[in-house]
Amino acid sequence: MSMEDYDYLFKIVLIGNAGVGKTCLVRRFTQGLFPPGQGATIGVDFMIKTVEIKGQKVKLQIWDTAGQERFRSITQSYYRSANALILTYDITCEDSFRCLPEWLKEIEQYANSQVVTILVGNKIDLAEKRAVHRHRAQDFAESQSMVYLETSAKESDNVEKLFLDLACELIREAKQNKLDNSDAAPMLGEGKSISYLSCCSIN
Amino acid sequence: MPLPVPEVPASRRLALDCRTILDHRVGKGVCGCCGALRPRYKRLVDNIFPEDPEDGLVKANMEKLTFYALSAPEKLDRIGAYLSERLSRDVARHRYGYVCIAMEALDQLLMACHCQSINLFVESFLKMVRKLLESDKPNLQILGTNSFVKFANIEEDTPSYHRSYDFFVSRFSEMCHSSYEDPDIRTKIRMAGIKGLQGVVRKTVNDELQANIWDPQHMDKIVPSLLFNLQSGEGVESRSPSEKEKESPVELTERCFRELLGRAAYGNIKNAVSPVLMHLDNHSLWEGKTFAVRCFKIIMYSIQSQHSHLVIQQLLGHLDANSKSSATVRAGIVEVLLEAAAIAASGSVGPTVLEVFNTLLRQLRLSVDFELTGSYDPGSSIGTKIIKTHGERQLQEAVIRTIGSFANTLPTYQRSEVMLFIMGKIPVPGVHPALSSSCSGPEGTRMIQIMLLKSLVQVTAGFQTTNMLTALPSSFLEPLLSFSLTEDPEVRLLVIHILLSLIDRHDNRPKFSTISIISDISVLKLKVDKCSRQDNLFMKKHGQQLYRHIYLGCKEQSSGRQHYENLYNLLALLSMELANEEVVVDLIRLALALQDLALSTEESMPVFNRCAIHALAGAYLNLICQLTTVPAFCQHIQEVIEVRQKEAPFLLPEDIFIEGPKLPPSLDKVEGEMLFLQSKITEVLGGSGYNIDRLATPYVPQYTDEDRLSKRKSIGDNISLPPEDESRNSPEKEERTPAEEITFETLKNAIVDSVGMEEQERERRRQVVEKFQKAPFEEIAAHCGARATLLQSKLNQIFEITIRPPPSPSGTISSGYGQTQSRSVPVYEMKFPDLCVY
Ligand SMILES: Nc1nc2c(ncn2[C@@H]2O[C@H](COP(=O)(O)OP(=O)(O)OP(=O)(O)O)[C@@H](O)[C@H]2O)c(=O)[nH]1
Ligand SMILES: [Mg+2]
């Protein structure tokens, strides 16, 4: 007997340098607003949004981490159980782009190996200040076999698309996974990166 | 998820269908016809909700529901499911009044029924808590947390296999970091987060079936969240009196942290402490020290004491990992180690005693290298940080203090071991460049010498042993004394400090910290025990070395007030602790020899040193005469002192050991009654049964024990005693022959002499070989192992002897080891490795 109000539940974790706009992206998506004077995130932030995809209710549990180095120990501990990671940089900030390899190393070290990672270049509304050319980022993403998307939390460009595409991909993988695992005994807890019903707490 | 998967969607659809049917009625009160169709438990549940949520839970009906649940426990699961279903819906529709009522009902049922098997009910319950925690409304988050905490305090009899607290740990940790704008609400959310974490820990810690809360994935969230709150409360002291009664977030956090640590078993300590280290790293909290120290105090006081050495080990590992971090970071870690060691007391070092000291000594050495080379990485020139000498110095001091703190926790036998270990690490200049400081040259070697001696000062402080012989083996004492021969006044002073700590076993040392003529020593309330057999043996073995050390220490021109004061202290303590009649005689001879030294015109000694030696000898004779209690002896000493007081106060400690002492232009007029007379002393003491022959023989510093050719105890002794030093110690022999013509006879004699020497030497080597052939292997192995490092210092001794020219009247002491090669005796250089091979 289950009374869950969703068909799928996915954990999405946003990572990337401080100030690239992770929190703004999340708030744009979950609350539909661009927060004026958004302060730096402390530790981790948490938000829930349920979306409907092809008639299925998908609950997205979004963990927005602080980019500041000093919170690294706690933020790292959230990668581990993530189904998807949104690696964000700021297209107007070369530095935030150059740090990407470091972030990938972190992911390698701490995240589940099956995690879906998507690269996001944020703040495209500041086109005149662009410091990282689109192709450069695109190439980099391809070389790391990541999907690349450019967004503006401010203008709401591609924000919906980002999360919905991710949700679709996660559903696809979940189905795939279920097929693969159909013979195997059901796994518990963390063993399964994406799972139907066994996601995060009580089932 | 153990439920059969295919069934779930079907039953779920059914549930949804029912809900859509019933939905119309629920909010508006139950209409008669349908009510009758509804199961009893649903009606009972519906009845606890009032018309107006402001009215709160309908108490009477809640009692009915509880009674029903207790009498029909098999229905409990469905009650839970239905309640949570309602609650879910109310959350979605923002009817928070009803949400609170549903939660209250769930809590009450949980409390009332917890002795029953509540497994499935708990599932519904937790689902509701989770639902509340997912909300972005602080009130709901707090409501959910409170319910969770109540649940956490219930002991379940049948643990659940498929319950995961992952979400709760994540969410509570996140709440601990809340940045909600309103500070009051923010504090409430954070405190809820802490309480929630505490709840998870309580719930899972003893339950083998639960996901292991000690796994890094949980600890890495829980611990930094607690530390963040512990830290962010610092400095916020201005609380109103009414608030003071309530527990502050910091207090709550600390309590929770302590509870967590207190529950950690042996295997969990590492996972609990690692995130602390990481947090302190990331937040740059080693530099400030106070918070880091506070954290580790909490840790050390909270964990089970038998685990404390694990924490120490982790800290040491962290120190090593930070070898190239700035000095302030390293100093912070060392400071924490110091505090932690003090708290852990006897158990702090754990089974790997020497490893602990090895790490600390390595850090000391690294720091010296950094300071002198100015770089953390001498190999590369790019990207090196600027090293602050000041910072390194502070670090070194901290390391040394920490070494002392650890040593204090050790039993005597281990302390001796550590002393030997440190001694073995002291580099010897010019001898073994490969073993001394890697890249800092002679200055580095000297600095490390000083650091390690300072460490020994710390380790030996408060050291008390009943058996000097075993606590201070030759392998320790001899290298130590060899350092006392250096020209470096700081090194010599450190050696005396170490000797003082080792010899003082009755806390008499402070009573002689200044040097003065004490007319009645009973005011000092000295504590003296009779010498034990071991004490006597010890002095038999090492007395001569100690006397020589004192004699040469006085003679050094670079000796200052502090040296003389401490040498006096050493003489006094020897008399107190280790003096039998024979030793007393020797000490008196030594004092008289010192007087002769001060009078000698051969030595181009400055007036200050001469006066100081006179004063020292006077003060000491004044002490020893009272200890012998021979009235005539006391009288003689007293008379001389009185003369000095009148005519030559500069020969007394009170006038010389002060700031800016008044020195006479020369000491030509020091004679007659100002001096202590050997003949007189021999006479009066002879009358009291002391050994006259010995008293009448002037003391000449002997480098070795008188029995050095026969009873040999160690290879070290063999090696360290080249016969050449005899000629050095008896200069009059050389003086007697200078005018002699070189004849065939003398040449022949010379050859015969050297042949004799060779024979002697061969005999000695034979003895060594014999010893190795006869002694049990373990003894030899132990011998070689323990003394491997000693070889260096033995070599040093040889160099000291061979390179230091005998004091010449001109007083020019050629320093520097440049001369070494020409003066050293190749034979011994060659022989050394030979012996090592054994
Ligand atoms: N112009 C523009 N500014 C943006 C956009 N997204 C974020 N910002 C601004 O960038 C700054 C940082 O945004 P945040 O969302 O707080 O950045 P963050 O990545 O969450 O930073 P941390 O929490 O410190 O890791 C804020 O001043 C935002 O207003 C965007 O799409 N366009
Ligand atoms: Mg942020």
Side-chain angles (χ1 to χ4, degrees):
Chain A
M1 180 171 65
S2 170
M3 314 157 301
E4 292 295 0
D5 49 358
Y6 55 84
D7 299 292
Y8 294 97
L9 177 116
F10 299 119
K11 290 184 236 178
I12 299 175
V13 177
L14 284 95
I15 58 174
N17 276 18
V20 298
K22 298 181 294 295
T23 306
C24 288
L25 282 170
V26 176
R27 296 191 66 178
R28 165 61 78 190
F29 176 63
T30 57
Q31 301 168 333
L33 50 84
F34 180 72
Q38 173 62 43
T41 304
I42 296 170
V44 211
D45 224 334
F46 172 76
M47 255 157 274
I48 284 273
K49 173 136 174 160
T50 306
V51 295
E52 206 166 293
I53 290 173
K54 294 181 199 133
Q56 285 171 305
K57 282 192 174 169
V58 182
K59 186 154 152 184
L60 301 177
Q61 204 184 72
I62 303 169
W63 301 95
D64 168 29
T65 65
Q68 284 176 57
E69 187 96 29
R70 64 194 174 112
F71 292 113
R72 206 52 54 85
S73 48
I74 184 145
T75 56
Q76 279 161 351
S77 66
Y78 282 80
Y79 305 177
R80 218 174 321 225
S81 53
N83 300 122
L85 292 172
I86 299 178
L87 174 52
T88 316
Y89 79 96
D90 174 353
I91 60 143
T92 69
C93 171
E94 167 85 26
D95 224 37
S96 71
F97 181 76
R98 278 215 229 115
C99 283
L100 292 177
E102 264 176 59
W103 285 105
L104 288 173
K105 244 186 263 162
E106 293 247 307
I107 295 172
E108 177 108 15
Q109 197 175 347
Y110 298 102
N112 188 310
S113 58
Q114 292 151 303
V115 73
V116 175
T117 310
I118 182 163
L119 181 64
V120 169
N122 188 36
K123 306 196 188 176
I124 47 168
D125 54 291
L126 301 173
E128 73 286 357
K129 287 194 199 156
R130 185 186 272 273
V132 180
H133 202 279
R134 185 190 184 93
H135 293 304
R136 214 173 125 205
Q138 187 81 53
D139 288 350
F140 177 76
E142 259 164 43
S143 73
Q144 305 291 328
S145 32
M146 289 184 288
V147 172
Y148 178 61
L149 198 62
E150 295 201 335
T151 58
S152 165
K154 189 172 180 194
E155 303 297 331
S156 198
D157 287 343
N158 273 344
V159 179
E160 282 295 291
K161 180 175 163 52
L162 165 65
F163 286 94
L164 295 182
D165 281 5
L166 203 50
C168 287
E169 172 65 13
L170 289 169
I171 292 172
R172 206 181 56 73
E173 295 223 349
K175 284 185 174 153
Q176 184 68 38
N177 229 318
K178 214 172 107 192
L179 281 181
D180 293 349
N181 291 333
S182 54
D183 297 337
M187 287 188 291
L188 287 171
E190 302 299 318
K192 224 177 197 174
S193 69
I194 299 162
S195 57
Y196 175 58
L197 290 179
S198 82
C199 276
C200 78
S201 78
I202 344 99
N203 302 306
Chain B
M1 167 89 224
L3 289 175
V5 175
E7 273 180 54
V8 176
S11 62
R12 160 196 289 245
R13 208 164 299 128
L14 197 68
L16 284 172
D17 291 345
C18 293
R19 190 163 58 187
T20 45
I21 297 167
L22 295 172
D23 252 358
H24 308 288
R25 281 117 195 173
V26 171
K28 299 154 194 152
V30 183
C31 77
C33 58
C34 292
L37 295 174
R38 294 163 58 72
R40 179 143 182 245
Y41 75 88
K42 287 203 177 180
R43 270 181 287 142
L44 284 168
V45 168
D46 288 336
N47 289 340
I48 64 167
F49 293 92
E51 286 281 328
D52 180 358
E54 296 288 311
D55 295 345
L57 185 67
V58 182
K59 295 243 164 53
N61 290 344
M62 184 63 214
E63 271 166 37
K64 282 184 197 155
L65 177 63
T66 311
F67 181 76
Y68 175 77
L70 283 169
S71 50
E74 73 280 358
K75 291 279 172 21
L76 196 55
D77 297 347
R78 286 194 219 169
I79 296 171
Y82 182 56
L83 256 174
S84 52
E85 190 188 315
R86 280 196 61 134
L87 186 140
S88 244
R89 211 165 41 215
D90 290 336
V91 170
R93 292 172 190 176
H94 308 285
R95 295 192 302 218
Y96 300 122
Y98 285 129
V99 172
C100 295
I101 291 168
M103 214 57 224
E104 195 180 335
L106 276 166
D107 286 352
Q108 287 197 15
L109 283 173
L110 193 66
M111 294 303 155
C113 309
H114 73 260
C115 40
Q116 321 276 340
S117 175
I118 52 168
N119 230 326
L120 275 177
F121 177 70
V122 167
E123 313 284 284
S124 315
F125 172 82
L126 286 178
K127 197 168 295 167
M128 285 312 92
V129 172
R130 201 183 114 195
K131 189 95 208 164
L132 296 178
L133 290 177
E134 281 175 356
S135 154
D136 56 359
K137 301 280 177 298
N139 284 343
L140 295 190
Q141 293 168 22
I142 293 166
L143 185 69
T145 309
N146 290 342
S147 287
F148 183 83
V149 170
K150 280 181 206 145
F151 160 72
N153 290 323
I154 295 174
E155 267 182 50
E156 289 172 85
D157 41 4
T158 35
S160 167
Y161 281 91
H162 47 269
R163 203 183 286 159
S164 156
Y165 291 99
D166 185 42
F167 172 76
F168 293 103
V169 173
S170 298
R171 177 59 162 154
F172 289 137
S173 298
E174 186 269 335
M175 285 163 69
C176 286
H177 290 86
S178 169
S179 48
Y180 202 87
E181 296 93 299
D182 183 323
D184 285 343
I185 297 175
R186 181 170 64 222
T187 305
K188 281 189 183 133
I189 297 175
R190 287 187 180 180
M191 286 179 85
I194 297 160
K195 286 181 193 154
L197 287 178
Q198 189 175 32
V200 180
V201 171
R202 281 187 188 162
K203 200 68 210 165
T204 51
V205 81
N206 292 322
D207 188 344
E208 288 147 38
L209 294 173
Q210 298 306 336
N212 188 357
I213 197 73
W214 302 103
D215 277 352
Q217 59 161 322
H218 298 309
M219 277 298 127
D220 290 353
K221 293 189 182 84
I222 295 172
V223 173
S225 304
L226 295 179
L227 294 181
F228 176 73
N229 281 282
L230 201 59
Q231 174 198 349
S232 55
E234 278 196 335
V236 194
E237 280 307 319
S238 53
R239 294 160 64 208
S240 64
S242 65
E243 278 177 328
K244 265 186 189 145
E245 280 153 35
K246 284 184 272 166
E247 194 173 35
S248 74
V250 180
E251 287 160 350
L252 173 69
T253 309
E254 185 173 329
R255 200 158 50 81
C256 178
F257 192 33
R258 284 178 186 278
E259 184 179 328
L260 175 77
L261 293 160
R263 289 169 185 267
Y266 185 87
N268 305 327
I269 296 282
K270 187 162 177 279
N271 285 354
V273 173
S274 294
V276 178
L277 298 173
M278 242 209 279
H279 184 87
L280 297 175
D281 285 347
N282 290 340
H283 291 249
S284 310
L285 291 167
W286 295 111
E287 286 92 331
K289 285 181 200 168
T290 42
F291 184 72
V293 167
R294 176 150 170 250
C295 283
F296 274 88
K297 275 189 171 163
I298 294 176
I299 293 173
M300 295 309 282
Y301 280 123
S302 307
I303 57 170
Q304 294 157 47
S305 58
Q306 72 270 25
H307 300 155
S308 45
H309 71 272
L310 292 176
V311 179
I312 303 283
Q313 265 164 26
Q314 243 179 309
L315 278 167
L316 286 165
H318 199 65
L319 181 60
D320 266 351
N322 276 283
S323 286
K324 295 198 173 166
S325 304
S326 76
T328 47
V329 169
R330 279 174 284 138
I333 301 174
V334 170
E335 196 76 29
V336 170
L337 267 168
L338 178 77
E339 301 278 347
I343 294 168
S346 55
S348 68
V349 173
T352 51
V353 180
L354 292 186
E355 205 38 56
V356 170
F357 288 91
N358 200 25
T359 303
L360 291 170
L361 294 177
R362 184 166 57 242
Q363 288 300 323
L364 206 51
R365 168 157 293 193
L366 276 174
S367 172
V368 170
D369 277 356
F370 292 156
E371 184 186 335
L372 291 170
T373 58
S375 156
Y376 290 127
D377 195 358
S380 79
S381 53
I382 30 164
T384 47
K385 293 178 225 164
I386 300 159
I387 305 234
K388 297 198 179 69
T389 307
H390 176 68
E392 294 296 339
R393 282 283 156 97
Q394 282 191 327
L395 168 71
Q396 290 153 17
E397 294 301 320
V399 172
I400 290 169
R401 265 183 289 131
T402 306
I403 287 174
S405 175
F406 274 111
N408 259 318
T409 69
L410 297 177
T412 307
Y413 75 97
Q414 277 189 332
R415 246 214 258 197
S416 299
E417 215 171 283
V418 169
M419 279 155 48
L420 260 174
F421 182 72
I422 297 177
M423 184 53 87
K425 297 242 163 206
I426 305 185
V428 176
V431 170
H432 247 293
L435 287 176
S436 59
S437 175
S438 58
C439 45
S440 342
E443 174 60 4
T445 307
R446 179 184 170 264
M447 269 180 71
I448 287 171
Q449 260 184 354
I450 290 192
M451 295 295 154
L452 294 180
L453 286 170
K454 280 185 178 171
S455 306
L456 274 178
V457 169
Q458 291 281 337
V459 173
T460 52
F463 176 84
Q464 297 204 337
T465 173
T466 44
N467 190 343
M468 296 287 277
L469 214 49
T470 49
L472 291 182
S474 317
S475 49
F476 177 78
L477 209 58
E478 284 176 15
L480 177 68
L481 289 173
S482 79
F483 289 112
S484 72
L485 297 173
T486 69
E487 288 158 22
D488 192 323
E490 192 177 355
V491 168
R492 290 204 312 274
L493 198 57
L494 289 169
V495 172
I496 307 173
H497 281 305
I498 294 166
L499 286 172
L500 287 174
S501 305
L502 293 174
I503 292 173
D504 182 24
R505 290 171 295 176
H506 295 88
D507 292 324
N508 288 324
R509 180 178 172 183
K511 294 165 189 165
F512 299 102
S513 59
T514 56
I515 175 168
S516 62
I517 304 287
I518 302 151
S519 50
D520 180 4
I521 59 164
S522 65
V523 300
L524 294 176
K525 300 199 170 57
L526 298 170
K527 271 176 264 159
V528 186
D529 273 345
K530 208 174 149 7
C531 281
S532 67
R533 208 176 62 86
Q534 282 96 348
D535 291 348
N536 291 337
L537 282 173
F538 176 80
M539 282 311 278
K540 217 179 184 61
K541 196 168 168 203
H542 298 295
Q544 291 301 326
Q545 287 166 293
L546 291 167
Y547 306 150
R548 179 167 180 272
H549 166 80
I550 294 168
Y551 183 86
L552 295 177
C554 287
K555 192 169 163 183
E556 278 292 342
Q557 298 192 15
S558 57
S559 286
R561 176 176 161 188
Q562 279 195 316
H563 291 83
Y564 291 111
E565 281 172 345
N566 282 288
L567 285 166
Y568 168 72
N569 201 338
L570 185 55
L571 276 169
L573 289 183
L574 281 176
S575 321
M576 227 52 56
E577 294 282 346
L578 297 165
N580 56 21
E581 213 173 275
E582 192 180 325
V583 173
V584 168
V585 168
D586 280 348
L587 288 168
I588 293 168
R589 290 169 64 217
L590 175 61
L592 290 167
L594 285 172
Q595 178 175 267
D596 289 344
L597 175 69
L599 289 169
S600 160
T601 46
E602 285 165 36
E603 312 282 349
S604 70
M605 209 184 285
V607 172
F608 169 78
N609 296 61
R610 288 175 192 277
C611 292
I613 296 172
H614 276 299
L616 183 151
Y620 177 67
L621 285 170
N622 174 63
L623 174 70
I624 192 85
C625 73
Q626 294 183 57
L627 288 171
T628 60
T629 65
V630 175
F633 185 20
C634 294
Q635 199 191 335
H636 172 61
I637 305 296
Q638 187 61 38
E639 281 163 12
V640 174
I641 288 170
E642 273 164 19
V643 173
R644 286 187 182 185
Q645 276 163 347
K646 280 195 217 92
E647 293 169 31
F650 48 84
L651 298 182
L652 291 172
E654 284 78 3
D655 270 57
I656 194 80
F657 298 120
I658 52 171
E659 286 295 319
K662 275 198 225 85
L663 299 174
S666 84
L667 293 178
D668 295 343
K669 302 215 172 59
V670 173
E671 55 192 12
E673 304 197 315
M674 290 177 203
L675 298 176
F676 305 102
L677 295 177
Q678 171 139 27
S679 53
K680 177 87 183 159
I681 293 173
T682 308
E683 182 195 318
V684 295
L685 283 179
S688 294
Y690 285 84
N691 183 336
I692 297 183
D693 292 343
R694 203 174 169 88
L695 268 172
T697 322
Y699 168 80
V700 177
Q702 293 283 308
Y703 178 60
T704 59
D705 320 4
E706 55 274 302
D707 57 351
R708 65 196 159 90
L709 281 176
S710 51
K711 294 173 268 166
R712 235 158 258 298
K713 291 256 158 54
S714 74
I715 344 170
D717 289 347
N718 262 338
I719 293 151
S720 66
L721 307 172
E724 273 74 7
D725 70 66
E726 246 171 355
S727 60
R728 180 182 176 268
N729 282 323
S730 45
E732 57 289 344
K733 228 194 265 171
E734 286 170 20
E735 280 161 27
R736 250 181 268 132
T737 52
E740 205 172 49
E741 278 181 29
I742 300 174
T743 62
F744 175 69
E745 202 56 27
T746 51
L747 272 177
K748 203 179 103 183
N749 281 347
I751 291 165
V752 169
D753 265 355
S754 73
V755 167
M757 289 264 294
E758 262 175 47
E759 265 169 17
Q760 210 179 325
E761 188 49 41
R762 218 176 286 134
E763 166 64 10
R764 277 178 35 163
R765 297 183 73 179
R766 196 193 55 74
Q767 281 177 3
V768 172
V769 170
E770 191 178 272
K771 180 179 165 136
F772 271 78
Q773 281 165 346
K774 286 182 186 158
F777 175 72
E778 298 85 74
E779 192 184 314
I780 297 169
H783 213 77
C784 295
R787 284 150 204 250
T789 45
L790 185 65
L791 296 181
Q792 279 175 53
S793 34
K794 290 297 168 193
L795 271 170
N796 184 41
Q797 283 188 351
I798 295 167
F799 280 128
E800 289 293 350
I801 296 152
T802 52
I803 66 182
R804 280 166 60 94
S808 54
S810 70
T812 50
I813 289 173
S814 39
S815 59
Y817 296 99
Q819 291 182 327
T820 312
Q821 270 65 32
S822 60
R823 282 189 173 258
S824 62
V825 183
V827 177
Y828 293 102
E829 277 185 344
M830 303 296 292
K831 213 177 293 160
F832 206 122
D834 277 353
L835 288 170
C836 291
V837 174
Y838 294 108

